[in-house]
Amino acid sequence: MRPHPRHILTFTLFVCLVGSCITAYSQELSKNLPGKKLSIRKAKGAITLDGKLDEADWQEAQVANDFFLNYPVDTTHAEFQTEARVTFDDHQFYVSFVCHDNSIPDVVQSLRRDYDFDTNDNMGVFIGPYNDAINGFYFLVTPYGVQHEGTIAAGGADGDGGYNATWDNKWYSKVVKYEDKWIAELAIPFKSFRYKSNVEEWNITFLRYDLKRNRISSWIATPIQFIPASFAYSGKLVWEDKPPHHTTNISVIPFVAGGASQDRTTDPVTKNSELQVGMDAKIAVTPSLNLDLTVNPDFSQVEVDRQVINLTRFEFQFPERRQFFLENNDLFERMGFPEARPFFSRRIGLARDTSGNIVKIPIAYGARLSGSLSRKWRISMLNMQTKEKQSIGLPGQNFTVAAIQRNFWAQSNIQFSFVNKQSLTVGESDTLKYFNKDLWMRKWNGNDTVRQLNKYNRVAAVDIEMRSKDNTWYSSLFYNHSFDDLNQSKNQAAGGAITYTKRNVNLSGGANFIQRNFNAEVGYVPSKGVYPGIVNFFVSGQGTMYPKGKPVINHGPYLDAQASTLPGGLVTDQLLNVGYYFNFLNTSMLQFTYNGTYQRLTNSFNPIDDEKFTSYQTGEEYTWNNATAFFASDQRKLFRYNLETTIGQFYNGNNVNVNGEVNYRYQPYGSISVRFDYNDLRLPMRYGKEKLFIVSPRMDLTFTHKLFLTTFVQYNTVADNVNLNARFQWRYKPASDFFVVYTENYLLQTFASKSRALVFKFTYWLNI
């Protein structure tokens, strides 16, 4: 009996369905899923960094392979695969990579250490040696052998705050390029990072950023909406042989610095010269707890701030660039919300003089104890002592910050913090001697405020972060309470936020309040002095669609809405941004945004110049709308650029803003770039009509892996100044440097010199 055609069709469909299910199931099994084990054994022989992997220990090591794509798609294996291996001896943790490739030229910006991740082909290992899925370290190399290392916080799920590249330490690497691959070997001394020797497993993953093809792949398959280096999507490094136990680990980094300067705005010209000696030290109290010390620190080698045009009522938050404050600072910088940060390290050793210029305050000493007490507990404590600066009316001051964190659930924690600023030897008779505005605050007195000398300021804080095991849900809560001898009430700030992330949508929202007398003098509170207390609300959302065809990888709409009210409910600010974005396969990006703004002013100000033009007055209301377009070109090209323009209303007038950057790289020896920001402000006559702009050309040369020269010029019509900063660095040994920095300021109209300085700094890293 012959089967009926309909039965044949049914059977065929059934076979196809079962086959497709088996195929999908097999593909799912081929993924390396979170928690996958990777064994590590102690090396029996010596490991030589030569890019050959011909040692028996490398041949016998378990291989981490089958790398899966995370971007531009997350549904298949990487076309060009990677192999990772690990081993160790009594002194070093070894990692090797075999990165299969072809003849397409690699993309690197320069030979400078600690390069930008997004603009270089690179390969790296991400380790969590506490096995808490929250904290760790990463080590990266480019195909040209350039190193980049840093610390991981918040499980690596936070792209902006989860990775800190300022951490600097000794480690070694060798990269060799072949026709069909490049091989890297890393030797990381156990003394160079903190770990727990009694933990049997570490979090570990490997990530390859293949910029030349716009591909990101990782050992553990990670959904496209998440960062593939995060510990939620990591494997487990299983120690079949135990890592070495704690031994004496002390590093001393003495330095000598000096220089000469001239102030040519005085008559006669003021000349100064100085020679300074100081020291940093790193002491491993335990393998997971470190004590950092600094005596008479010098930061003369730190790159100057990038100048900005600030047309808002709020203080601009310049980033911290001093390494001592940036290393291991995640417990400090994550306190509070952006609207109320109890601690901002730039308040230490930097202050404004009577003209509003930022000047250096000499620091006598500093100490920081940070690290892990156990799998669940972490601490960080900092104490800094500054010297008196009579020229700007500041006494010697002591700053203390302490934080203790308790981990719970998969990737969650609660943190208790305390910040203290104490002005030393300040009495009531010193009000004329110590006149700096940072010492004075406004005390509420009935219906008015009066300025009084404030001898101390303290803030107690509680922060809770909760994150689901797969990073889909994230929530954050904070509570701050300030203390001083002037105000005893309405001195609190608190808030909460929640974020939901899936493949096609990202939603977040929250609220916070800052009371009238909340005072965090060592923190960053942008609303301070602008509002008599404030309540903020915010929501945002983004949709993401993934078309199958080229050239668009993904695109979608986004929305950002904010509102602020006074404690009584009066609305003072509303902001609505609605837009659409496109990410292209060639790494370029296009974005359009509509911006709507409402303000009811709570203080008088003029966005151009309060002294030159009429100010907008307290209580006045303004509503305006404008539109923004942004485009970033192919980031893999030798010549690349990004351009943004905003056109439309601004308060009761109009503004045309054009800003961006053009960059040309001479691979791999450096790049030349020009940043610019132009504003054509056309307000009613008495409020001002001005063309404000900053042009900042920069030349970054890397002659070798050890010799670097950066020349940076900033032409600023707002500050009526031209600044030149040239910085030479010779890394003659790992973590040991010689710097020469030249700075000069010129008059904008005539380019006559106003001031100049030439400084040098010599550091040497010594392990004891």
Side-chain angles (χ1 to χ4, degrees):
M1 180 177 179
R2 298 177 61 185
H4 192 281
R6 186 171 56 190
H7 296 161
I8 296 176
L9 177 61
T10 302
F11 179 76
T12 302
L13 291 174
F14 174 76
V15 171
C16 292
L17 178 62
V18 171
S20 63
C21 290
I22 292 175
T23 301
Y25 181 69
S26 300
Q27 185 179 21
E28 183 68 21
L29 286 181
S30 69
K31 291 182 179 181
N32 295 324
L33 301 178
K36 184 178 177 66
K37 307 291 186 179
L38 179 68
S39 296
I40 181 171
R41 303 180 185 91
K42 187 174 182 179
K44 298 175 182 178
I47 300 293
T48 302
L49 302 188
D50 55 10
K52 295 180 180 180
L53 305 190
D54 53 2
E55 294 90 345
D57 292 297
W58 283 135
Q59 300 297 321
E60 297 171 3
Q62 185 179 352
V63 182
N65 52 14
D66 294 330
F67 276 51
F68 220 76
L69 278 182
N70 165 261
Y71 187 87
V73 297
D74 60 359
T75 56
T76 186
H77 286 93
E79 178 184 2
F80 291 91
Q81 276 292 312
T82 305
E83 301 168 10
R85 296 171 174 85
V86 292
T87 187
F88 75 100
D89 59 24
D90 289 333
H91 304 288
Q92 304 196 99
F93 178 72
Y94 296 98
V95 186
S96 68
F97 305 119
V98 178
C99 301
H100 295 280
D101 214 331
N102 60 14
S103 58
I104 297 178
D106 300 303
V107 177
V108 295
Q109 289 300 308
S110 70
L111 300 176
R112 180 180 295 279
R113 183 186 177 91
D114 291 336
Y115 52 83
D116 291 333
F117 177 91
D118 294 334
T119 57
N120 293 265
D121 286 318
N122 62 75
M123 177 70 211
V125 57
F126 298 75
I127 57 175
Y130 312 127
N131 201 33
D132 60 4
I134 295 178
N135 304 286
F137 307 87
Y138 65 89
F139 302 87
L140 312 173
V141 289
T142 73
Y144 283 78
V146 185
Q147 296 181 345
H148 176 121
E149 74 280 334
T151 59
I152 304 172
D158 185 347
D160 294 328
Y163 303 89
N164 186 341
T166 59
W167 180 69
D168 196 13
N169 228 308
K170 276 187 176 182
W171 58 287
Y172 311 91
S173 62
K174 176 67 175 181
V175 175
V176 177
K177 298 185 67 173
Y178 300 90
E179 288 186 4
D180 59 345
K181 59 183 174 290
W182 54 279
I183 296 179
E185 288 185 276
L186 284 58
I188 307 165
F190 282 104
K191 290 185 176 183
S192 292
F193 65 96
R194 300 189 305 274
Y195 65 97
K196 297 196 72 63
S197 57
N198 60 347
V199 174
E200 296 181 354
E201 295 182 349
W202 291 5
N203 297 112
I204 190 169
T205 193
F206 308 95
L207 183 149
R208 181 176 177 181
Y209 184 44
D210 192 357
L211 176 59
K212 59 179 175 288
R213 299 182 183 89
N214 197 17
R215 302 286 192 271
I216 300 175
S217 61
S218 60
W219 177 49
I220 301 298
T222 306
I224 194 171
Q225 69 269 26
F226 297 124
I227 298 172
S230 62
F231 289 142
Y233 296 92
S234 67
K236 290 293 185 180
L237 184 64
V238 181
W239 291 84
E240 296 192 6
D241 300 314
K242 299 300 182 185
H245 287 283
H246 172 61
T247 58
T248 302
N249 184 359
I250 301 175
S251 298
V252 178
I253 309 102
F255 74 84
V256 177
S261 63
Q262 293 182 352
D263 184 353
R264 306 177 70 85
T265 61
T266 62
D267 188 15
V269 174
T270 303
K271 297 181 180 181
N272 291 293
S273 62
E274 62 176 351
L275 183 66
Q276 183 177 346
V277 178
M279 180 193 72
D280 294 337
K282 296 177 178 293
I283 303 170
V285 180
T286 71
S288 58
L289 191 64
N290 201 72
L291 175 64
D292 292 277
L293 302 173
T294 184
V295 178
N296 200 27
D298 171 80
F299 305 107
S300 58
Q301 82 281 6
V302 176
E303 188 176 278
V304 297
D305 289 324
R306 297 184 183 274
Q307 299 172 14
V308 298
I309 298 175
N310 185 9
L311 300 178
T312 73
R313 296 171 289 164
F314 309 104
E315 175 191 12
F316 184 82
Q317 186 177 14
F318 287 98
E320 176 63 89
R321 300 183 185 276
R322 298 169 296 175
Q323 186 169 316
F324 183 85
F325 294 101
L326 287 168
E327 287 188 349
N328 309 321
N329 72 335
D330 61 286
L331 294 190
F332 294 158
E333 71 173 5
R334 298 181 73 85
M335 297 181 197
F337 276 16
E339 295 84 0
R341 295 291 191 195
F343 178 70
F344 179 39
S345 58
R346 282 181 65 107
R347 305 299 187 201
I348 303 175
L350 296 171
R352 294 190 181 275
D353 60 16
T354 54
S355 301
N357 299 315
I358 296 177
V359 298
K360 297 178 182 178
I361 308 299
I363 298 174
Y365 63 82
R368 178 182 58 241
L369 181 68
S370 61
S372 174
L373 299 177
S374 68
R375 186 172 181 270
K376 296 293 185 181
W377 291 95
R378 291 181 69 218
I379 64 168
S380 189
M381 299 190 303
L382 172 73
N383 183 267
M384 303 290 290
Q385 177 68 47
T386 61
K387 301 177 183 179
E388 183 181 64
K389 186 81 169 180
Q390 291 187 4
S391 61
I392 64 170
L394 273 180
Q397 295 180 307
N398 186 268
F399 300 82
T400 301
V401 193
I404 184 167
Q405 184 185 82
R406 173 65 158 84
N407 301 330
F408 63 92
W409 292 348
Q411 298 185 89
S412 304
N413 63 78
I414 181 170
Q415 176 176 319
F416 300 92
S417 311
F418 181 73
V419 183
N420 181 66
K421 171 187 173 183
Q422 189 80 39
S423 295
L424 306 178
T425 65
V426 177
E428 297 299 331
S429 60
D430 294 321
T431 56
L432 295 179
K433 180 180 179 182
Y434 299 129
F435 55 83
N436 191 279
K437 68 175 185 178
D438 288 341
L439 286 176
W440 296 76
M441 67 170 293
R442 293 190 175 276
K443 177 182 178 181
W444 186 254
N445 183 16
N447 296 321
D448 200 0
T449 58
V450 294
R451 294 180 72 249
Q452 287 194 15
L453 185 66
N454 190 30
K455 301 176 185 177
Y456 71 89
N457 175 249
R458 295 164 189 149
V459 178
V462 180
D463 292 86
I464 301 175
E465 287 187 304
M466 293 177 288
R467 193 183 303 274
S468 64
K469 189 175 182 179
D470 63 355
N471 288 349
T472 297
W473 288 96
Y474 170 77
S475 64
S476 178
L477 302 169
F478 85 95
Y479 172 78
N480 295 341
H481 195 297
S482 67
F483 304 87
D484 53 59
D485 59 357
L486 302 180
N487 293 295
Q488 307 301 322
S489 63
K490 297 189 181 299
N491 47 9
Q492 302 170 65
I498 188 168
T499 299
Y500 174 75
T501 304
K502 294 296 284 185
R503 184 179 182 83
N504 297 104
V505 66
N506 180 280
L507 302 172
S508 63
N512 59 73
F513 70 84
I514 303 169
Q515 292 185 324
R516 178 180 60 214
N517 296 327
F518 177 71
N519 182 33
E521 293 185 9
V522 196
Y524 178 75
V525 186
S527 64
K528 182 180 179 181
V530 178
Y531 301 102
I534 192 71
V535 181
N536 301 299
F537 304 90
F538 52 93
V539 295
S540 65
Q542 176 178 305
T544 304
M545 290 169 275
Y546 303 91
K548 294 183 178 180
K550 300 178 181 180
V552 178
I553 294 176
N554 56 52
H555 61 93
Y558 58 89
L559 175 146
D560 179 27
Q562 302 174 39
S564 300
T565 71
L566 297 180
L570 179 66
V571 176
T572 60
D573 295 80
Q574 290 180 341
L575 176 66
L576 176 65
N577 300 325
V578 180
Y580 208 93
Y581 71 92
F582 300 86
N583 287 317
F584 297 96
L585 191 60
N586 68 352
T587 74
S588 62
M589 178 182 178
L590 179 64
Q591 184 173 304
F592 300 99
T593 311
Y594 161 82
N595 314 288
T597 305
Y598 164 80
Q599 286 186 10
R600 181 187 180 93
L601 298 179
T602 55
N603 67 319
S604 300
F605 97 111
N606 185 285
I608 302 175
D609 191 326
D610 287 319
E611 299 180 358
K612 186 176 179 180
F613 300 107
T614 300
S615 294
Y616 297 113
Q617 299 300 310
T618 302
E620 294 179 348
E621 298 180 67
Y622 296 94
T623 301
W624 67 90
N625 305 285
N626 51 45
T628 301
F630 171 82
F631 178 74
S633 68
D634 189 336
Q635 300 299 294
R636 303 168 300 180
K637 300 293 186 182
L638 295 179
F639 176 79
R640 60 185 174 88
Y641 63 92
N642 62 72
L643 180 66
E644 182 180 71
T645 180
T646 300
I647 301 175
Q649 301 168 318
F650 186 73
Y651 286 95
N652 56 351
N654 295 281
N655 185 32
V656 175
N657 172 260
V658 180
N659 68 84
E661 179 180 2
V662 295
N663 183 293
Y664 179 81
R665 76 174 189 275
Y666 183 65
Q667 185 170 310
Y669 299 107
S671 63
I672 298 175
S673 64
V674 179
R675 290 191 176 190
F676 54 91
D677 188 359
Y678 169 80
N679 286 270
D680 185 2
L681 271 169
R682 297 180 177 272
L683 306 178
M685 186 61 67
R686 62 194 180 102
Y687 297 103
K689 292 185 179 181
E690 291 284 329
K691 290 180 172 62
L692 309 174
F693 60 92
I694 294 176
V695 180
S696 305
R698 176 189 178 97
M699 180 177 65
D700 190 4
L701 298 179
T702 57
F703 305 103
T704 69
H705 289 77
K706 299 179 179 180
L707 290 175
F708 316 120
L709 175 64
T710 301
T711 303
F712 188 32
V713 178
Q714 300 187 85
Y715 183 93
N716 188 340
T717 63
V718 180
D720 195 26
N721 186 68
V722 180
N723 173 259
L724 166 68
N725 181 263
R727 181 174 177 267
F728 171 80
Q729 178 184 359
W730 173 29
R731 173 149 286 196
Y732 61 93
K733 289 184 62 178
S736 301
D737 299 282
F738 175 67
F739 295 95
V740 178
V741 181
Y742 178 75
T743 303
E744 187 159 9
N745 291 285
Y746 306 89
L747 291 171
L748 195 64
Q749 296 80 8
T750 63
F751 281 86
S753 177
K754 295 193 295 184
S755 63
R756 60 179 60 153
L758 177 67
V759 300
F760 75 90
K761 184 175 181 180
F762 180 89
T763 69
Y764 182 79
W765 187 296
L766 176 64
N767 287 328
I768 299 178

